[in-house]
Amino acid sequence: MSEVADHGRLMDDVYRYQRLFYDITRKYYLLGRDHMIANMQVHPGDRVLEVACGTGRNLAAIRKRHPRALLFGLDISDQMLISARRKLDGAARLAQADACSFDPEALFGEAEFDHIVFSYSLSMIPDWQAALDEAMRHLAPGGTLHVVDFGDQGRLPGWFKTGLRAWLARFHVAPRDTLGAAMQDMAAGAGTLTGQSLYRGYAIYGCLTR
């Protein structure tokens, strides 16, 4: 079995039951998601793709703020997509796919997107840099890549950082300490980067416009 299939099966096993109470529990520690959504400049007709869309929570929030946007989501976990389809009820086009290699025309009939979103997903994607590169391949000229995820917790007590990371590892989550630097490298050759560290380094938010 391929690494992609293995990861998909792992995510299905992790979220088979967790998806039923995922949104209730994650709101207490997936901080910065609403900050990212509030800062998205989405126009009517813009195509918004969330990579690793999970239960569809973020797409539902984007729809509420921007009802005339065209919404798309992909996830490697069929289990998560069950919840997303129920939550969005046809308001977004959803598909099962690998974040590191996907064909948007085959999945959605779209070659590119005006906005691509990663929300606390890069910390769960083994080859997260490949996922960023793949997203940039499908970002339209003038489009924006939006990222929020765990930061380096550099301005938080050491005991908190150690405990948080040990707990996250139980769910196959690993904060990417070089995420900010990776986005800076991408922006150097592909666009303009804005962003900030949130909550004393608990989270990192980045917005890269091509």
Side-chain angles (χ1 to χ4, degrees):
M1 183 174 291
S2 70
E3 291 184 8
V4 172
D6 284 344
H7 188 61
R9 186 172 64 178
L10 173 63
M11 291 299 97
D12 278 343
D13 289 344
V14 168
Y15 291 117
R16 191 175 309 279
Y17 301 109
Q18 283 195 45
R19 67 179 178 82
L20 301 175
F21 49 86
Y22 183 94
D23 290 337
I24 294 174
T25 58
R26 266 54 177 186
K27 69 179 182 179
Y28 296 108
Y29 65 90
L30 300 189
L31 307 178
R33 294 179 297 173
D34 291 333
H35 174 88
M36 176 190 69
I37 292 169
N39 281 277
M40 292 177 66
Q41 301 298 313
V42 180
H43 301 101
D46 277 2
R47 298 154 297 177
V48 181
L49 169 69
E50 182 172 12
V51 178
C53 64
T55 65
R57 181 264 185 197
N58 295 322
L59 287 173
I62 293 169
R63 181 194 181 201
K64 187 174 181 180
R65 295 180 67 93
H66 307 287
R68 296 173 62 188
L70 305 177
L71 304 180
F72 304 86
L74 64 85
D75 203 286
I76 201 168
S77 169
D78 284 325
Q79 290 296 313
M80 280 300 215
L81 289 171
I82 292 172
S83 291
R85 291 188 181 102
R86 289 176 179 170
K87 183 182 298 293
L88 292 162
D89 193 24
R93 297 187 61 182
L94 304 172
Q96 192 276 336
D98 174 24
C100 299
S101 179
F102 61 93
D103 182 347
E105 289 194 272
L107 295 173
F108 306 116
E110 299 284 348
E112 57 190 16
F113 302 90
D114 304 292
H115 303 269
I116 299 181
V117 175
F118 286 93
S119 173
Y120 282 94
S121 52
L122 293 171
S123 51
M124 297 197 69
I125 298 172
D127 194 353
W128 59 275
Q129 292 168 309
L132 284 173
D133 290 339
E134 182 72 354
M136 290 298 291
R137 289 204 311 117
H138 305 304
L139 190 65
T144 304
L145 179 70
H146 309 266
V147 176
V148 65
D149 214 308
F150 292 105
D152 62 9
Q153 295 89 51
R155 288 176 287 133
L156 291 167
W159 62 263
F160 180 90
K161 176 177 180 176
T162 300
L164 174 67
R165 294 189 175 214
W167 183 70
L168 291 174
R170 297 175 58 188
F171 302 98
H172 308 280
V173 177
R176 311 304 186 186
D177 290 340
T178 59
L179 175 56
M183 292 193 69
Q184 288 177 354
D185 288 343
M186 292 170 66
T192 302
L193 178 66
T194 60
Q196 62 191 115
S197 175
L198 302 174
Y199 315 112
R200 297 178 63 192
Y202 180 93
I204 184 172
Y205 161 70
C207 180
L208 193 161
T209 301
R210 167 168 278 174

